[in-house]
Amino acid sequence: MGYIIENKNLDLLIDKLREDYLVYAPMRYKGQGEFSDTDSIRYGEIKKASDLELEAKSEHTFKEILMPISETLFYYTEDEVKVAEAHNTKEALVFVRSCDLHSLSRLDNIYLNNGFGDFYYKRLRDKLKFVLIGCEKSYDNCFCVDMETNKSDKYAFSIDIRDGKAYFDVQEEALLKYFESVESQKADVSPLYVTENQTRVKLPSPENIDVNFINDHELWREYDKRCIGCGRCNFSCPTCTCYTMQDIFYQDNGKAGERRRVWASCMVDGYTDVAGGGAYRKRNGDRMRFKVLHKVYDYKKRFKDNNMCTGCGRCDDVCPEYISFSNSINKLYDATKGGRDD
Amino acid sequence: MIKNEYIPFPSTIKEIIKHTDIEYTFRMSYEGEVKPGQFFEVSLPKFGEAPISVSGYTNDSVDLTIRKVGKVTDEIFENYVGDKLFLRGPYGNGFDIDTYKGEELLVVAGGTGLSPVRALVDHFATNIDEVKRLHIVAGFKSEEDILFIDDIKRWEKTSNLVLTLDKNENNYLAKTGLVTEHLPNISFDDISKTVAVVVGPPMMMHFTVLKLLEIGFKEENIWISHERKMCCGLGKCGHCKIGDTYVCLDGPVFKYTEGKLLID
Ligand code: SF4
Ligand code: SF4
Ligand code: FES
């Protein structure tokens, strides 16, 4: 069911929704950007319509809501273990763009369908409904069209704001009442999506990937020096899921503490260390290879699904060395095109 | 509700068997299914967890052979007083005993690599008529590094066993040299059908497999177990991933024909 609501009436809608839901959306944090005088666009809990930042692309993703940067799993004392409470037990609405809505299915696959189901992920996930933010235009570095994530068909509702009005397509019946309760006009609405990006990628076909050949390929050597192994590409990626366990103990009581999991990056030193001092993928180029292949080959092979990468371009946006992920996909394509003899 | 796999359970230390200064077997209380080569995450609150493979089991216990090589294992050695450790698991596929029944079987183990295959070897050395023949090659750096010596002496009675030391200065009752040096001297009934299990440090496994292929083993008859940084054991944390394989879920035991594609 479609609705059009004047911008001036949006606050009322948000108030109504907030009676039953937490509302998470991209917000503009003034002056908190990477460089002075720039803003940071990241997720926060909105209280009113003007908190919504639907113009700019968020540099951080919604995944922090589902898998916090640092998450306490349990507390322990000498002989007792107690499961930590969830940081959020209320139902929530999360505003995401199409690429990120596709990213959600990648997170679900790892956390729910890869071997064991994850208790902590599931309990947060069960509380969330997703709202699609329509894309009127493509942003810098986006390549969603080639990754086939530019369009989404399933959402609680969609939102597009233009010419002083907000356009909604509400799919989830339980949410219709909120739209009925404010001054709104019924209409046929479908969310906007982009059909072309400036950035293009060519995806290597899986049957052309011979790991023996591609792992040793010189294309990765460029990254040995260029990449500084900072991990920002992973932390900004909506589909990266890795973590490391950490035990913390309290100063005042050395016998009590907690176990946490914190985000980890396959680009950062220490990721593959094994007890006794071994490590794999010591060169940054090898880590780049590991990441690129995971995003556009391994994941798809394992889950017989889409590629892991959803083409959001954030890793390109945040890399301090201006390393372009889309470029590396194209380089991989070129290297595999003709197979070994090319 | 999904089971919370992250919560460890307390397990009583029933016995500690000291092999070397830095390698002890902790016999832990545990009732439940377990296979050789599977692993448990052993934790000591405050210090974290370490993946430790199962080196033996009974109806009410598992043996975890722990090597003192890291933060967690150091602490386990120094602070195990008290009478329990926290565990979760078992994880991984482990060795399936039935796979090897009725075969001529060769097990090549290097150093602590003997732990994950110990229960498998023990099973067949004890029930020797379940295999056509059993050959064992166990290699250690030196006399001080030998693990499971009582078992080895017992296995010797039913199997064709070679115990070898890289350095054998005191002429200990063992052969001298790397495991690979002894492989060509073993007399197999039918090398093209013999099944081999190879476990040990990466280099040792690499050269052992090369040697086996050279002397006539078939690739598809070789099994290996991969050592990796297992952190969650649940297919989540990503640390053990190689290509599209998660060693903690799909391994650590692989047929060589699959395992050889796991290159990093
Ligand atoms: S790899 Fe880069 S472009 Fe792809 S989903 Fe992750 S951050 Fe976005
Ligand atoms: S953000 Fe750039 S420099 Fe940092 S690890 Fe990723 S590719 Fe390397
Ligand atoms: S050990 Fe965490 S994914 Fe395998």
Side-chain angles (χ1 to χ4, degrees), chain A residues 226-233 267 288 291 315 318-321 323:
Chain A
R226 278 186 74 197
C227 169
I228 57 170
C230 67
R232 292 185 61 180
C233 47
M267 302 299 290
M288 192 70 186
K291 181 182 70 178
C315 50
V318 301
C319 178
E321 301 300 309
I323 289 170

Side-chain angles (χ1 to χ4, degrees), chain B residues 68-118:
Chain B
K68 188 172 181 275
V69 285
K71 194 172 67 165
V72 182
T73 49
D74 284 357
E75 284 302 327
I76 293 176
F77 268 61
E78 268 135 48
N79 291 323
Y80 67 82
V81 282
D83 47 3
K84 62 175 186 287
L85 293 171
F86 283 91
L87 308 181
R88 55 188 187 89
Y91 299 126
N93 58 356
F95 289 98
D96 195 358
I97 289 191
D98 288 341
T99 307
Y100 310 98
K101 281 191 180 155
E103 306 287 352
E104 178 172 9
L105 178 64
L106 163 72
V107 178
V108 189
T112 30
L114 190 51
S115 298
V117 285
R118 182 192 159 271

Side-chain angles (χ1 to χ4, degrees), chain A residues 26-35 37-44 53 56-60 64:
Chain A
M27 290 171 68
R28 180 175 291 273
Y29 292 84
K30 284 242 177 289
Q32 294 184 22
E34 180 75 2
F35 304 101
D37 299 333
T38 59
D39 301 339
S40 160
I41 315 290
R42 55 176 198 266
Y43 275 77
E53 173 53 68
K57 170 173 168 185
S58 69
E59 72 217 33
H60 297 278
E64 303 176 20

